[in-house]
Every structure is written in C-alpha cells, then in structure tokens.
Amino acid sequence: MSDEAAAVAPRRPDTHSREHAIALTFVTLAEALVDDYDVVDLLDRLVHGCVDLLGASAAGLLLSDQHENLAVMASSSEESRLLEICQLQSEKVPASIAYVPGPR
C-alpha cells in the first residue's frame, strides 16, 4: 500500500490490544477482591478502568440506597466528583433521569 493510500485508509481498531486491556482491567479488579478488600479501592479501580477502556475524559459511579437516594461512590477526578454532587442536588440531570429503581 502506498503512503498516500495508507494515510486515507480507515484505521481498524486494534482488537488484540483492546481485548488485552479489557483482560488486564478484569485482572486488576479481581486482585482487589482479596479477603480484606477495600470497597472504595475496588470502586476507584472500576471507575478508572472505565475511563481507560472507553476513552472518556471522566467517569463517576453512583449507587442508590434503600430510599432510592443516589450517592457518589467513586469518581475518576475531583472535578467530576464535585460536578456529580452538585448535579445530584437537581432532579433534571442525566444521572437522575437515567436512574431506574429496581423492583422492591
């Protein structure tokens, strides 16, 4: 293939490296599940793994309690954590709109 053709040809994703990255993420998460694992550390690893795998600029993890109140459990950066906390105070934000309570 000529240099010009290579420059305009669409790049195919490198599935081998993506599969490898996914496998490494699962290994990292599994390593956190030892006898005395720290839930906060596990959730932090999960959020950062999502950012790395998905190419996102930031990510956060919200969980609901028994009263269906959402709370920030992990965040990839301090900025995204503060943004999520501020957004939770409003009811018309993506997190609140996307949340669907499970069966009781």
Side-chain angles (χ1 to χ4, degrees):
M1 184 183 296
S2 71
D3 290 339
E4 288 178 14
V8 295
R11 296 187 72 197
R12 294 187 335 198
D14 187 356
T15 56
H16 177 69
S17 64
R18 178 155 174 82
E19 290 170 356
H20 184 72
I22 291 169
L24 285 177
T25 300
F26 277 112
V27 168
T28 300
L29 292 172
E31 287 174 349
L33 295 174
V34 293
D35 289 337
D36 296 324
Y37 74 93
D38 181 8
V39 173
V40 174
D41 180 52
L42 175 68
L43 298 178
D44 185 64
R45 290 180 187 203
L46 176 62
V47 169
H48 283 90
C50 289
V51 169
D52 294 341
L53 288 173
L54 301 174
S57 58
L61 178 66
L62 305 173
L63 294 179
S64 68
D65 63 13
Q66 68 272 22
H67 303 294
E68 298 178 2
N69 297 313
L70 294 175
V72 177
M73 297 306 295
S75 189
S76 61
S77 68
E78 183 64 19
E79 293 84 7
S80 64
R81 185 184 75 80
L82 292 173
L83 177 62
E84 290 166 2
I85 290 171
C86 291
Q87 286 182 347
L88 286 176
Q89 296 173 354
S90 171
E91 292 183 10
K92 295 185 179 181
V93 295
S96 296
I97 295 168
Y99 172 69
V100 178
R104 290 187 161 212

